[in-house]
Amino acid sequence: MPVTSQLLRALPRSKVLASSLLPCQQHQSQFGPVAHLPASRQSSHMWQRRQPSRSYQTSSVLHSYILTPPQVNSILKANEYSFKVPEFDGKNVSSVMGFESNQLPANAPIEDRRSAATCLQTRGMLLGVFDGHAGCACAQGLSERLFYYIAVSLLPHDTLCELEAAVEAGRALSPILQWHKHPNDYFSREAQRLYFNSLRTYWQELIDLTSPGDVPDTREALLNAFKRLDNDISLEAQVGDPNAFLHYWVLRVAFSGATACVAHIDGPDLFIANAGDARAVLGVQEEDGSFSAHTLSNDHNAQNESEVARIRSEHPPSERKTVIRQERLLGLLMPFRAFGDVKFKWSIELQKRVLESGPDQLHENEHTKFIPPNYHTPPYLTAEPEITYHKLRPQDRFLVIGSDGLWETLHRQEVIRIVGEYLTGVHQHQPLKVGGYRVTLGQMQGLLEERKARASSAFEDQNAATHLMRHAVGNNEFGTVDHERLSKMLSLPEELARMYRDDITIIITQFNPHVIGAQRQEGQS
């Protein structure tokens, strides 16, 4: 089958029937090894993204871009990052050996974000993927703020009091998080003071609600952090800011949206907090050496029957036929849980009042003027996460968190097999699949030789997320990476790329089975 036809078969549906807000202004970050607390999918059907039909003539465009293998590698590796947990006295005492991540844009600029940090005043590591829509502003805000809200939620009462006392006395704050960031990751310098003030108000309320000696519950901490940050995003947009840029920024964050999938790993305890359609899947090594997938999150969309039932139960029977239409919330939004997206949460009166007092730049965006159809009993959307707990076992070898751009291209079992084989160097050859195609003996021999060559070059990529991304973008119908396909997918012009695939963000966390086994024994003794 021609590569062009293969590409057209794989067209994803956009999450939002919408024109985006203005592109994010991206700020280059200046990160040291430890970052301190900062001190100072929706529109009318008229705006639906046009999808090419099968007769769409793109061959001439696609054939004019042929990248060499080094050029392909340069694109795939541009945003890769890896972190290895340090050893103490020659031993790694953490259940996490390290993690590797990568991003591949389809939107310009990319609407996905990723974050990873180690909690310094409690134990554990946080890893998260944030998938934005209607612009990247909300995902950007989550990538900077959500981990602080989680970390503060996990702090005991006495530590919260120490934080507040330090601020009152003007003393430097002890760092809460050690961030692990790629040089291309960004943060909004202008909003740091605003973000800090909102976070401080949150911990002040936690001080009032807790007592000395209270031990925070991780599940409750994750739940509260998600809900509180979404509430703060909404409140900041309603209050506005005297600074014109900040006023515009908080409105952009609130009117765009983002899903979030976050892992908190502390010893053998693994919690996943998910709101939306990003996904966390565990790679389990079986006794025969093969790998199986254990999904730790549920997609919050129309394919999830319990989600459909939940949303319908929250609105009158008269809205049963309109609250979900064409597998979208109010016929517009694919994820059923998300941060921001106040167009699905605020009353019509509040939306109009906030927009009327907003800066002129926001009035120029058609997106903000639109009221969803059949909008009678808001809110229709929540950022409340679904929390999953898993006690790690020695056979649990790695965790893959990915935005839906990954899972649209590869089945979860295939994802786990690719990563497992990469990390172990052991290839469990499945029967060669040729689908419904007629294959000659000569073609079969070529496929087998290609498989052999692929196995010998498995460690060409130095990053597991990059290796997985290569397969996600370049796999052909036989399950092998096709360089011609990979080249053409990576060389699509910006205006075409989003029509063929979504942004892809991947974090792969590798576990230490020896440490996990010892920790489980200690817990049982």
Side-chain angles (χ1 to χ4, degrees), residues 417-418 420-430 432 446-461 467 470-471 479-481:
R417 182 191 64 80
I418 291 168
E421 290 183 355
Y422 171 85
L423 293 176
T424 62
V426 177
H427 293 259
Q428 301 287 330
H429 287 322
Q430 305 297 320
L432 197 62
L447 288 170
L448 290 170
E449 289 175 351
E450 184 180 341
R451 168 186 274 186
K452 182 179 178 180
R454 188 173 75 255
S456 64
S457 62
F459 292 95
E460 178 180 308
D461 292 315
H467 184 73
R470 187 184 299 274
H471 280 266
T480 62
V481 175

Side-chain angles (χ1 to χ4, degrees), residues 73 116 257 490:
N73 288 340
L490 294 178

Side-chain angles (χ1 to χ4, degrees), residues 2 27 40 82 120 130 132 174 196 250 277 338 369 378 397 420:
H27 305 283
S40 39
S82 62
L120 294 178
F130 312 103
S174 299
F196 175 76
V250 296
D277 51 10
K369 299 176 183 177
R397 303 307 296 270

Side-chain angles (χ1 to χ4, degrees), residues 149-222:
Y149 278 68
I150 294 172
V152 164
S153 301
L154 289 167
L155 292 179
H157 177 88
D158 292 346
T159 307
L160 291 171
C161 292
E162 291 171 8
L163 278 178
E164 180 59 21
V167 176
E168 281 290 333
R171 299 195 306 268
L173 299 179
S174 299
I176 290 179
L177 296 173
Q178 177 187 359
W179 290 91
H180 311 298
K181 287 186 175 286
H182 186 279
N184 289 349
D185 292 344
Y186 302 96
F187 74 103
S188 312
R189 290 192 185 94
E190 296 86 350
Q192 287 185 8
R193 169 58 62 180
L194 171 69
Y195 290 171
F196 175 76
N197 289 339
S198 293
L199 182 69
R200 183 186 179 189
T201 300
Y202 178 43
W203 83 49
Q204 288 172 337
E205 293 182 16
L206 288 175
I207 290 173
D208 293 337
L209 292 170
T210 58
S211 303
D214 286 353
V215 178
D217 176 77
T218 303
R219 184 184 297 271
E220 286 297 313
L222 291 166

Side-chain angles (χ1 to χ4, degrees), residues 289-453:
S290 65
F291 288 88
S292 61
H294 178 49
T295 305
L296 294 176
S297 63
N298 295 309
D299 297 348
H300 300 132
N301 55 28
Q303 280 65 56
N304 185 334
E305 293 182 2
S306 63
E307 275 295 285
V308 172
R310 176 187 66 81
I311 290 176
R312 284 181 172 157
S313 71
E314 294 173 353
H315 300 276
S318 59
E319 295 186 59
R320 181 174 179 83
K321 293 183 179 180
T322 58
V323 69
I324 297 173
R325 296 180 61 229
Q326 297 177 327
E327 298 189 338
R328 295 172 184 259
L329 188 65
L330 296 178
L332 300 174
L333 191 64
M334 289 189 73
F336 289 174
R337 303 193 193 195
F339 285 83
D341 282 321
V342 293
K343 301 292 285 185
F344 293 85
K345 297 173 181 176
W346 289 355
S347 68
I348 294 175
E349 293 73 24
L350 178 57
Q351 292 185 40
K352 290 180 177 177
R353 186 166 71 249
V354 169
L355 290 173
E356 285 171 1
S357 63
D360 293 338
Q361 302 99 306
L362 207 68
H363 298 163
E364 297 167 4
N365 192 295
E366 289 295 318
H367 164 77
T368 60
K369 299 176 183 177
F370 175 72
I371 301 296
N374 303 298
Y375 197 79
H376 307 299
T377 54
Y380 289 89
L381 190 66
T382 180
E384 180 174 328
E386 187 174 13
I387 312 290
T388 306
Y389 171 75
H390 177 81
K391 193 173 185 68
L392 290 171
R393 308 160 299 176
Q395 62 265 39
D396 298 330
R397 303 307 296 270
F398 57 89
L399 175 71
V400 180
I401 308 175
S403 58
D404 67 336
L406 169 66
W407 312 107
E408 286 173 352
T409 60
L410 290 173
H411 187 273
R412 62 182 180 276
Q413 182 57 48
E414 187 72 355
V415 166
I416 296 305
R417 182 191 64 80
I418 291 168
V419 175
E421 290 183 355
Y422 171 85
L423 293 176
T424 62
V426 177
H427 293 259
Q428 301 287 330
H429 287 322
Q430 305 297 320
L432 197 62
K433 295 182 293 185
V434 296
Y437 302 92
R438 293 184 178 180
V439 180
T440 66
L441 287 175
Q443 290 171 324
M444 182 66 76
Q445 181 181 1
L447 288 170
L448 290 170
E449 289 175 351
E450 184 180 341
R451 168 186 274 186
K452 182 179 178 180

